[in-house]
Amino acid sequence: VYKRQVMDMRLRENTISIQNVEAHISTQADRIREKIAKNTPPPNPFERLIETTAKFTKINKDLVIMALFATIIVLAGLFLDNTVVVIGAMLISPLLGPINAFALNASIGKIKKLVSTEISILTILASVVILSSVTTFVVSQFVDLPITSQILLRSQTTLIDVAIGLILGLAGGLALVANLPEILVGVGVASALLPPAAVTGVGLALMDYGLFFGALTLIIVYLIGLELGCTIIFRICLLYTSPSPRD
């Protein structure tokens, strides 16, 4: 027969004691972090630039896709002879970042990153040319595509274009150094490169080699001017800082 046992609380060995546990967390770690933060100098501005441009030193498929979207829009603007549409396409063209990355690595002598960044830029431009060429060829089988003034404008190179490319490069580098919104200069940079790249594809598709080589020359002129202008700004910035660039 089960016999229920009762605990006799009068006995000392059966006493149940309940106590509040007070935990103490040392603030030593917080004091150490504050001391380190206080004694650590502010980050070098050039190091911030390196971190900002690091993502553009390799081929980025997202940038290529954005450039392809912009290509379709700019083609419509070129054939419609609509300046507003052409400029509107520049809002989604991601070319300033890679150009800044090229100029920065050129300034600090990072040859491998410089080469990989230039490959990224050329990949984006080649993608624009190819898509523009294929699209123009397909559409031309169904409708007659006019050579508008917007297209002809991107097939001629003058000394003014050299100056424009250089000034845009200076502005792009300054925007990065001053931590200004990229869109302020990015539209101008994209306007210098994307429409001529699209016109290069148009000339290739229509077998108009005058149009093709004229637009290709304009791309080269603008690209050199942009990269040179950015590099000049970063070299000036380098003179006033003591960077310790990290790979």
Side-chain angles (χ1 to χ4, degrees), residues 51-66:
E51 294 176 358
T52 302
T53 58
K55 59 185 177 182
F56 298 112
T57 57
K58 297 180 181 179
I59 297 176
N60 188 320
K61 64 178 182 179
D62 293 330
L63 296 184
V64 175
I65 293 173
M66 290 293 289

Side-chain angles (χ1 to χ4, degrees), residues 132-162:
S132 175
S133 180
V134 171
T135 303
T136 302
F137 177 79
V138 172
V139 175
S140 65
Q141 304 304 308
F142 302 95
V143 296
D144 291 331
L145 296 174
I147 303 300
T148 64
S149 60
Q150 288 293 323
I151 294 176
L152 292 175
L153 186 64
R154 271 77 183 190
S155 63
Q156 303 169 359
T157 305
T158 64
L159 290 176
I160 296 177
D161 295 309
V162 178

